[in-house]
Amino acid sequence: MELSHLVQSSQVENVRMCCPLIPPVTGTLCVSSHHLILSANPVEGTKQEKCELWLLHCAVDSVEKSVHNIGMLKSKESGKDGELRSSSGTVTLKCKDLQVIDLEIPDMEETFNVARSVQALSKLDNISLSYPFFFRPAGCKLGKGWPRDTMETFYHKLKAQTDAWRLSHVNENFKVCPSYPEKIIVPVSCSDYSLRRSAAFRQGRRFPVLSYYHPRSRTVLLRSAQPLVGPNQHCSGDDEMLLDAALMGNLRGFIIDIRTEQEAKQARSSGGGTENKERYPKWSVLYRPLVRGQALHSSLTRLVGTCYDTYLGRNHWLSKLQASQWLSHIKEALSTAGLAAECIEREGTSVLIHGEEGANNTLMVTSLAQVILSPDCRTMVGFQDLIEREWLQAGHPFQLRCARSGWAQGRLQQESPNFLLFLDCCWQLAHQFPMAMEFNEKLLCTLATHAYSSEYGTFLCNNEKERNIYKVREKTHSLWGTLNSFRQRKSLINPVYQGNPLAIWPSVAPQSIQLWEGFFLRYLIPKEHREMSWQRTWELIGEDPY
């Protein structure tokens, strides 16, 4: 399938581009198969054109068009009908990274053609036609920069601390669980046969696996999907044995169910549910509900709408910010992750996290708990490994969840900003503990942008099985390879970083949770002062920021 037939107008002259904080630019607009390109008209006295816009179609979240009908103009002198002027129009592109671009086009037909072209090209269903499969940066070889075997590396670190766990290949060729990686870490006493039977008792066959081992308390953090208890109270001896083995001799553990107790009970009618106390006597269930799906996405759209409503007074703006409930969701996420971390660090008990599917908020909680507990996860390399292991390899469906962003209106399908909420929580931690993270805000903004649209293949597809089918590692470039290059890495480093071996406990008091201005307002607030502050900090510590 060729994409060129979706381009209704490939080139339009005298298009005026307007963006907040940027002077208007007039030039030639080109619509290619993957990009929208605006080349500014040459400045008087020069011949060279300057490219002012190079936008991926997949970065566009919403396309709006309006037509300005000028019609017949009358002569000032005679009052009679004069020159006939054709209508012009404006195409407003609202991007997934929240940038808003207005394109003023001097022809009505071209306005509709450009709008229809971008709308069609921004919503391609065929993954193999997406830009990462065509992106070939100079000096880079395919396959370079993809991370090492993260699960293998994680296991070798674990093996140096305990021999109670093993690396299982039970999911080779993804034959047990399609959304798990091929290698998973499980108790050494559990056979692969037992794991298969446990998988049959969990939704999506996502049976309990190791997420994190805490060396000081010798306890673990596990994750899974909900058990398939159903209305007839089904059970699985192999699943019960797996969770008992995960306790490693400890007398108790906690299951944090990230739904309400009522939701967990209602899930039984459709075959789900939660663990029965009689079948899992060593485990206590705690309910800590987190918003998900459509409700979470609606919260994001309300927040974005508030941020871009420039006509609101201060008090009204603050009330709308509160009404969006986004900051409340951050509080609940940090509280739940803090609870899991507290059980492990202070109570010395193992914890299992699950909701329904175990691939959305479950991964957010296990990831945040590790950032709180583990100094390794607060380093540049460790944070990348965490995202690889706990999000990409663990089967968070990025292709589905990040199909639309904060401008999406109307009926959604499976979109949900779980990963963006996780990054916002990480920013809150970095804001409260300025010296604890080796990376800075720019890395978090970069990850948020590339999760929704990217020229790299890192966040493509919904799980490792799909990435293998499309040969993503063989046919696309890795974002990590670019971020870890010397020049890029320098710009992502926190200049005041000091490794902290202790846990960092977040405050969830109302005054402690703040709006992430560096992401949500980055196209509305001038960033010169941030860049000057960053450069001055490097100068004070005696290093060149570049």
Side-chain angles (χ1 to χ4, degrees):
M1 175 185 173
E2 292 291 335
L3 299 178
S4 56
H5 77 281
L6 297 176
V7 179
Q8 298 186 20
S9 287
S10 61
Q11 184 170 313
V12 186
E13 302 290 341
N14 297 319
V15 175
R16 188 169 184 260
M17 181 180 74
C18 301
C19 301
L21 307 180
I22 300 175
V25 176
T26 301
T28 301
L29 183 71
C30 298
V31 184
S32 72
S33 296
H34 292 103
H35 289 94
L36 199 63
I37 305 164
L38 182 80
S39 296
N41 292 335
V43 179
E44 187 175 350
T46 66
K47 293 183 178 180
Q48 187 175 6
E49 293 185 345
K50 182 181 179 183
C51 182
E52 297 287 349
L53 177 68
W54 192 282
L55 179 70
L56 277 170
H57 294 308
C58 63
V60 177
D61 198 31
S62 171
V63 180
E64 298 175 3
K65 53 188 178 292
S66 58
V67 176
H68 316 295
N69 193 0
I70 299 174
M72 186 79 71
L73 298 181
K74 291 193 174 183
S75 170
K76 290 183 179 179
E77 291 78 12
S78 64
K80 298 179 180 179
D81 289 342
E83 179 187 0
L84 180 65
R85 294 282 301 275
S86 62
S87 299
S88 64
T90 299
V91 175
T92 300
L93 305 176
K94 296 183 175 180
C95 302
K96 293 176 181 177
D97 65 353
L98 308 186
Q99 184 179 21
V100 178
I101 302 170
D102 285 324
L103 300 174
E104 297 176 4
I105 301 173
D107 182 85
M108 182 179 67
E109 185 178 352
E110 296 286 21
T111 299
F112 283 105
N113 287 344
V114 170
R116 284 192 291 260
S117 299
V118 175
Q119 203 149 21
L121 291 165
S122 65
K123 296 175 175 60
L124 298 176
D125 294 327
N126 191 338
I127 293 176
S128 61
L129 292 176
S130 57
Y131 185 61
F133 288 97
F134 301 89
F135 179 55
R136 297 294 179 264
C140 294
K141 294 182 179 180
L142 285 173
K144 184 180 179 182
W146 284 99
R148 58 194 181 280
D149 190 332
T150 310
M151 192 61 70
E152 191 86 42
T153 304
F154 181 63
Y155 174 68
H156 284 308
K157 290 181 182 178
L158 174 67
K159 195 174 181 182
Q161 299 169 329
T162 177
D163 57 359
W165 298 81
R166 70 182 180 92
L167 189 67
S168 172
H169 294 76
V170 67
N171 200 38
E172 188 176 8
N173 296 322
F174 310 99
K175 57 190 177 185
V176 173
C177 176
S179 61
Y180 268 178
E182 292 187 283
K183 300 174 184 176
I184 43 97
I185 299 175
V186 295
V188 70
S189 60
C190 293
S191 67
D192 285 353
Y193 173 77
S194 178
L195 295 176
R196 293 187 191 95
R197 292 174 64 88
S198 174
F201 184 63
R202 294 279 171 171
Q203 180 165 330
R205 304 183 68 83
R206 294 176 66 90
F207 56 93
V209 296
L210 179 75
S211 183
Y212 171 69
Y213 174 80
H214 195 55
R216 285 195 294 274
S217 63
R218 297 183 181 181
T219 52
V220 295
L221 180 64
L222 307 167
R223 51 176 161 78
S224 72
Q226 67 174 344
L228 300 179
V229 178
N232 296 324
Q233 296 291 325
H234 293 138
C235 60
S236 168
D238 293 280
D239 192 77
E240 296 159 16
M241 182 181 68
L242 171 56
L243 286 185
D244 279 348
L247 289 174
M248 297 184 295
N250 291 324
L251 297 179
R252 63 174 184 151
F254 288 107
I255 297 170
I256 299 180
D257 193 324
I258 51 178
R259 302 168 291 181
T260 64
E261 186 173 1
Q262 184 63 27
E263 286 174 334
K265 289 179 179 178
Q266 289 176 348
R268 290 181 185 174
S269 62
S270 57
T274 197
E275 288 77 5
N276 190 317
K277 180 65 176 175
E278 295 179 359
R279 307 297 306 187
Y280 300 86
K282 296 180 181 179
W283 292 86
S284 300
V285 179
L286 305 175
Y287 295 98
R288 291 295 184 273
L290 297 177
V291 70
R292 54 199 169 101
Q294 178 108 23
L296 183 59
H297 202 284
S298 296
S299 176
L300 175 63
T301 57
R302 290 195 300 270
L303 172 65
V304 172
T306 300
C307 290
Y308 279 77
D309 192 340
T310 56
Y311 297 101
L312 291 176
R314 179 173 179 174
N315 291 337
H316 193 194
W317 191 89
L318 289 173
S319 65
K320 287 195 71 174
L321 174 63
Q322 184 178 8
S324 74
Q325 297 188 306
W326 182 260
L327 300 185
S328 299
H329 301 327
I330 292 172
K331 174 187 175 182
E332 295 303 324
L334 287 173
S335 297
T336 304
L339 173 63
E342 188 173 1
C343 291
I344 292 171
E345 168 87 2
R346 295 175 175 173
E347 299 295 327
T349 56
S350 293
V351 176
L352 167 66
I353 310 288
H354 76 66
E356 186 173 324
E357 299 173 348
N360 300 293
N361 282 337
T362 296
L363 306 183
M364 178 178 66
V365 174
T366 57
S367 301
L368 285 174
Q370 291 178 66
V371 175
I372 292 170
L373 290 170
S374 173
D376 286 343
C377 293
R378 303 194 287 268
T379 65
M380 179 74 81
V381 172
F383 191 67
Q384 292 177 23
D385 283 350
L386 177 71
I387 292 173
E388 270 288 330
R389 191 178 67 250
E390 288 296 298
W391 288 90
L392 293 162
Q393 294 184 15
H396 180 64
F398 279 96
Q399 202 75 26
L400 294 172
R401 299 291 180 264
C402 298
R404 303 292 302 276
S405 182
W407 296 111
Q409 298 293 334
R411 185 175 179 81
L412 300 174
Q413 297 182 8
Q414 299 188 51
E415 296 85 353
S416 182
N418 305 90
F419 187 64
L420 180 59
L421 184 62
F422 162 71
L423 294 176
D424 199 332
C425 289
C426 289
W427 179 83
Q428 303 289 337
L429 288 169
H431 186 69
Q432 293 182 23
F433 301 91
M435 296 186 291
M437 307 289 199
E438 187 183 14
F439 49 88
N440 60 24
E441 177 185 58
K442 185 178 178 181
L443 175 66
L444 299 176
C445 288
T446 300
L447 292 174
T449 299
H450 283 274
Y452 282 92
S453 64
S454 179
E455 57 265 50
Y456 299 95
T458 301
F459 292 101
L460 278 181
C461 305
N462 295 306
N463 50 58
E464 287 293 285
K465 181 179 180 179
E466 288 187 11
R467 294 185 192 102
N468 277 19
I469 292 172
Y470 287 101
K471 297 183 179 180
V472 169
R473 294 199 178 206
E474 293 82 2
K475 295 183 177 181
T476 71
H477 291 278
S478 168
L479 174 63
W480 307 128
T482 298
L483 296 184
N484 290 326
S485 64
F486 177 77
R487 186 173 182 83
Q488 279 284 340
R489 181 181 172 86
K490 188 78 172 179
S491 70
L492 303 174
I493 289 291
N494 175 12
V496 297
Y497 168 68
Q498 291 182 358
N500 181 357
L502 303 177
I504 53 173
W505 299 102
S507 169
V508 293
Q511 63 270 25
S512 299
I513 307 297
Q514 299 189 16
L515 177 66
W516 184 12
E517 293 182 5
F519 180 77
F520 291 107
L521 302 180
R522 61 176 163 170
Y523 294 111
L524 297 174
I525 297 179
K527 57 184 178 182
E528 287 80 4
H529 67 286
R530 289 175 179 267
E531 294 176 350
M532 289 175 61
S533 174
W534 178 78
Q535 186 172 353
R536 182 59 179 153
T537 303
W538 278 105
E539 290 172 356
L540 288 173
I541 63 175
E543 291 190 31
D544 182 359
Y546 304 105

